[in-house]
Amino acid sequence: QQQVKQSPQSLIVQKGGISIINCAYENTAFDYFPWYQQFPGKGPALLIAINPDVSEKKEGRFTISFNKSAKQFSLHIMDSQPGDSATYFCAAGGIRSSSGSARQLTFGSGTQLTVLP
Amino acid sequence: EAGVAQSPRYKIIEKRQSVAFWCNPISGHATLYWYQQILGQGPKLLIQFQNNGVVDDSQLPKDRFSAERLKGVDSTLKIQPAKLEDSAVYLCASSLRQGARNTIYFGEGSWLTVV
């Protein structure tokens, strides 16, 4: 009920290509869907986020597509660059049933993206 | 603006020993989180504070883990006694408040290896 499933586990893309990472959730109480980017030795940092009122959000080369009925969302990285090589985590925000009223993020397992020069 | 500060960055201990991690959140952030990130996995929430009160510790292994946030600012996470499976990165994070869609800012983490 509380899981966020992320795929693929790893992804290799040529420079200039499109990177696509997919996530699925089960808890319909989730109402906030951020993506975090993590470089080796660093903490995750917010990349882009969407709420379920819209089906797509674009910020520069990064786009989130959101399908509420399917309970799926994805990150698209256009014109992928070597500097995009990092681990990407999707997350879903809301109240977990076990947390009472505390709003929290539940993270996916991560996708290690490598962009070849 | 200073980010979330954590120390120590790296720690190696033997099993059954104890360890403590310290976190200083972004100034003014009321909500503080401790996450555990095992290699190859996403961060898992251990405990969440609102000011100096605990709002959720349902995933904290309370037989060995403890955390406190004195005066609603700094926080410490303690593990005693440590087990091999506690080897992970312990991430502290903070947000302005606990509400819908508040950005969570992470520190660089404290890397723990239990041997």
Side-chain angles (χ1 to χ4, degrees):
Chain A
Q1 182 82 14
Q2 306 300 333
Q3 282 186 330
V4 177
K5 296 181 180 179
Q6 183 172 348
S7 64
Q9 187 175 8
S10 63
L11 181 62
I12 299 175
V13 174
Q14 292 286 342
K15 178 183 176 181
I18 302 173
S19 304
I20 302 174
I21 305 170
N22 301 298
C23 283
Y25 64 97
E26 299 171 349
N27 185 352
T28 55
F30 288 142
D31 59 5
Y32 175 60
F33 302 90
W35 285 87
Y36 278 77
Q37 180 187 54
Q38 185 176 29
F39 292 104
K42 302 294 185 182
L46 179 66
L47 183 64
I48 185 173
I50 196 169
N51 65 62
D53 300 337
V54 297
S55 60
E56 185 174 284
K57 182 174 182 179
K58 182 176 182 179
E59 290 185 358
R61 296 184 294 109
F62 301 91
T63 300
I64 300 178
S65 296
F66 183 79
N67 185 330
K68 189 174 182 178
S69 60
K71 292 186 285 186
Q72 295 175 348
F73 58 111
S74 60
L75 176 69
H76 296 235
I77 306 175
M78 310 300 289
D79 187 26
S80 298
Q81 299 296 312
D84 297 332
S85 297
T87 300
Y88 292 81
F89 294 96
C90 63
I95 297 175
R96 289 190 306 115
S97 59
S98 61
S99 71
S101 61
R103 289 192 55 85
Q104 298 165 352
L105 288 181
T106 300
F107 283 84
S109 55
T111 297
Q112 187 168 356
L113 171 66
T114 302
V115 181
L116 301 176
Chain B
E1 179 181 76
V4 177
Q6 292 188 245
S7 67
R9 287 296 316 278
Y10 306 94
K11 193 75 175 179
I12 300 174
I13 62 173
E14 295 183 350
K15 59 183 179 182
R16 291 187 291 275
Q17 286 187 326
S18 63
V19 63
F21 301 114
W22 172 83
C23 172
N24 180 242
I26 293 173
S27 178
H29 280 197
T31 309
L32 185 145
Y33 314 80
W34 283 101
Y35 286 85
Q36 180 192 57
Q37 186 176 20
I38 294 172
L39 187 65
Q41 298 182 18
K44 171 190 168 186
L45 181 68
L46 293 176
I47 189 168
Q48 179 178 345
F49 292 93
Q50 183 69 17
N51 296 309
N52 61 346
V54 175
V55 295
D56 182 31
D57 62 359
S58 58
Q59 300 191 97
L60 187 74
K62 298 181 187 63
D63 58 335
R64 298 181 299 106
F65 286 66
S66 64
E68 60 181 5
R69 188 182 185 196
L70 298 177
K71 301 180 181 178
V73 181
D74 294 3
S75 177
T76 56
L77 175 70
K78 297 179 181 178
I79 307 174
Q80 182 180 15
K83 292 185 175 181
L84 295 177
E85 59 260 37
D86 298 332
S87 295
V89 179
Y90 290 87
L91 294 164
C92 181
S94 68
S95 60
L96 190 59
R97 53 188 174 272
Q98 185 214 172
R101 303 154 195 175
N102 272 276
T103 300
I104 293 178
Y105 297 87
F106 285 87
E108 294 191 331
S110 292
W111 294 62
L112 174 65
T113 301
V114 182
V115 297

